[in-house]
Amino acid sequence: MTPLAQGDITCAAYGDLFRRPGARSGTPQYEAEDVADGLETELLMAWWAEAARLDPAVLGPSDAGRGVLAYAASRPLRLAAVRRALDALTRTRFFGSVSDAFLIAALKQFRRYFDDPGIRAAARDRVLQGIGQDTRVVVGHSLGSVVAYEALCPGAVEGPVTLVTLGSPLGIRNLTFDRLDPAPVAGVGVWPKSVDRWHNVSDAGDIVALVHELAPRFGPGVRDHHVHNGTTMHDLSAYLTAVETGAAIADGLAAR
């Protein structure tokens, strides 16, 4: 196989869509009070519960008292639960050395993608703009895997292409899976019309992905691969340098 040249790879960036017009780059100084009720809080609690499940040293929601479990009953209880979740997660191996502000910014990006039709459409358009007639493989990491999936669903790409998802939260029911566009049919996610092969790569310790096998959600056409990224379980660089990811991309490049 001929090695890829620098011009053979295009990156579809959409992070600027989440910044206010005129705002400088960087993470806003969010605090616990800025975590919105609904999707942001629910996703944070899901990460916290999964971290506690995987690591006995992490005090999870079920160990932190009835007030945390009943956080939806009142704003003070919800805020207390959010603070405990942030304290727990920023001190774990899953989000080690990550600030509260960075973690909250990730929650807000996730929520705004689903709640803001303008951002959603613009992000998907960025992906489609980067796909040419000779594109064979589309790689999406984390929320980017959701953007790539939705962009490829309508069949706007001549394709077919191979989709490679890394650390993908696509399979999380209620929070991601049931909010997809197009919506799942009879509990099964729609197969992207522009995709002929789909490889999903996930680390069992990646609490952002939460659901590590997508075949049960999207059908047996998805090939699930498990990797071990060490202490950087959700890091893009760790996923990209995994043997399984390289093999998945090579499979797509050789497909046509």
Side-chain angles (χ1 to χ4, degrees):
M1 181 181 296
T2 304
L4 293 175
Q6 184 174 356
D8 293 330
I9 302 173
T10 299
C11 179
Y14 56 86
D16 60 295
L17 298 174
F18 296 96
R19 292 197 295 270
R20 295 176 181 175
R24 296 181 179 179
S25 60
T27 303
Q29 294 305 303
Y30 291 122
E31 298 181 356
E33 291 80 359
D34 296 312
V35 177
D37 198 5
L39 183 55
E40 291 181 25
T41 298
E42 291 169 12
L43 183 59
L44 178 63
M45 294 300 149
W47 287 349
W48 185 17
E50 181 68 358
R53 186 185 72 82
L54 293 172
D55 188 348
V58 177
L59 184 67
S62 61
D63 304 313
R66 295 181 61 186
V68 169
L69 293 177
Y71 69 87
S74 69
R75 177 172 173 77
L77 287 179
R78 186 188 68 80
L79 184 56
V82 166
R83 285 173 174 159
R84 291 195 181 190
L86 291 171
D87 286 345
L89 288 173
T90 54
R91 289 170 173 77
T92 66
R93 60 188 175 90
F94 306 100
F95 290 113
S97 73
V98 170
S99 67
D100 286 1
F102 185 89
L103 204 58
I104 295 169
L107 293 170
K108 290 192 173 297
Q109 279 198 3
F110 190 91
R111 190 263 303 164
R112 290 184 64 195
Y113 177 78
F114 287 105
D115 285 355
D116 189 322
I119 288 178
R120 195 173 195 169
R124 293 189 300 199
D125 189 56
R126 296 277 180 91
V127 172
L128 293 175
Q129 288 177 12
I131 299 176
Q133 293 183 348
D134 59 346
T135 299
R136 297 185 182 182
V137 182
V138 175
V139 181
H141 171 251
S142 195
L143 179 59
S145 69
V146 179
V147 181
Y149 165 81
E150 292 192 341
L152 294 171
C153 271
V157 175
E158 290 188 16
V161 300
T162 294
L163 175 62
V164 180
T165 49
L166 310 175
S168 176
L170 274 165
I172 308 175
R173 288 199 179 278
N174 300 319
L175 302 180
T176 307
F177 183 73
D178 298 297
R179 298 172 185 262
L180 292 175
D181 176 26
V185 178
V188 179
V190 174
W191 186 271
K193 292 180 181 179
S194 297
V195 172
D196 62 346
R197 303 185 184 195
W198 183 348
H199 293 273
N200 178 59
V201 184
S202 187
D203 184 316
D206 186 346
I207 67 173
V208 174
L210 278 176
V211 176
H212 306 291
E213 295 186 354
L214 296 183
R217 298 280 196 268
F218 295 89
V222 180
R223 305 178 194 179
D224 287 304
H225 309 278
H226 301 283
V227 297
H228 180 63
N229 292 336
T231 58
T232 55
M233 54 285 294
H234 189 63
D235 186 74
L236 174 58
S237 297
Y239 272 117
L240 287 176
T241 54
V243 172
E244 292 79 0
T245 301
I249 293 174
D251 178 61
L253 294 174
R256 61 185 176 96

